Amino acid sequence: YLVLYESPFYAESGGQVGDTGLVVAPGFRFVVRDTQRVGDLIVHHGDLEEADLAALPERVTARVDLERRRRIMANHTATHLLHAALKTVVSKEANQKGSLVHPDYLRFDFTHDAALTGAELEAIERMVNQRIAENHPLSIGEDEYQEAISKGVTALFGEKYGDRVRVVRVPEVSAELCGGTHCRATGDIGLFQILSERAISAGVRRIVAETRDAALGRVQEGRRLLQETARLLGVPPEQLPARVEKLALDLRELKKGAKKAAQTDLGALRKALLGEAPVEGGVRLVFRHLPELDGDQAAQLADAFRSGEEPVAGVLVAGAAGDRPPALVAFATKDLGKRVNATELVRAVGKGGGRPDFAKGAAAAGDPAALEAALARACDDLRAKLR
């Protein structure tokens, strides 16, 4: 921690993050990573890279990271323009409830009981960027608190202010009590872009936005992705929505066709498995490892077995052996009553549970040979029970 008699570094306050930079002198170098206020002191947090602690310099040069400060200033001034735009576009009751002014983005919380529409967000962006283009010079000064309030200056609810207050004015746009750093004119913000808007609590919403190079970079990246997507789909960018909609429709039709084909294939598989299944006590026993099926398909096949007129019971193991245990599905037609319990069948091969006529789980064995052996034992146990 480093404390100077006076400092140009802004200490974190009012939602604005603290400055970073360097404090140097011959034989002394301190890298400032953050700046905080402790009582009346401005405390620089950082790394002492060079110093003779027995002979510290009496005078140093303090250098704020100016480019980072400029990004912070742009984001802070943008929050004032955003606040004014919200009151114009959304509601006069859209009051600030909190903010974070960061070099990479700004976050602004405000009172409102409904999500903003796309049209509202576009109108807010348009209004803020119009104020930026108009390049309003900022006016920063001090007033008596009561006099400032009587003039309509915006104060944050719950904040404590002294008798004299600092007022940041954007002529014809906004006037707020604020102790943070700001642009000399709104044109210094360059560009404003909203990234997201969401609720954070009942009646309070949050907007996250970018300015300057960060906003421009995102616009350029969006354009690049748009052009690349248009190239891949072989249409001009303006035809992308229609093209994507058609692709989505085509995909739905393909899925319907695939589902229908799968049901046909499952029907043929059901017939084949029944044809080769052994019979014990009038019940066909289907105990099979089917690595070509997934868990959902195995469940559909089990339902197909249960829906038939012939008494059937068994266990299907779906999926190839691997890192994950294969899925188990056990089934028994309801006419078997207390003779066969699907949950017991699942637990004979792995873990799981369910109803007496249908149960699901995961196989205990991992490799195909062990699965086949477990299925054979479960089948033999059921045959013995049915006898």
Side-chain angles (χ1 to χ4, degrees), residues 366-383:
D367 63 277
L371 282 174
E372 297 292 350
L375 287 169
R377 286 194 300 272
C379 184
D380 288 342
D381 291 344
L382 182 56
R383 294 186 76 167

Side-chain angles (χ1 to χ4, degrees), residues 79-100:
T79 62
H80 287 217
L81 301 184
L82 172 59
H83 197 184
L86 282 165
K87 287 184 173 294
T88 301
V89 175
V90 179
S91 167
K92 290 182 179 180
E93 303 304 318
N95 295 314
Q96 181 176 345
K97 291 293 288 183
S99 68
L100 174 64

Side-chain angles (χ1 to χ4, degrees), residues 3-9 42 44 59-60 62:
V3 178
L4 304 175
Y5 179 74
E6 57 184 357
S7 173
F9 285 77
I42 294 176
H44 309 82
R59 297 182 66 85
V60 294

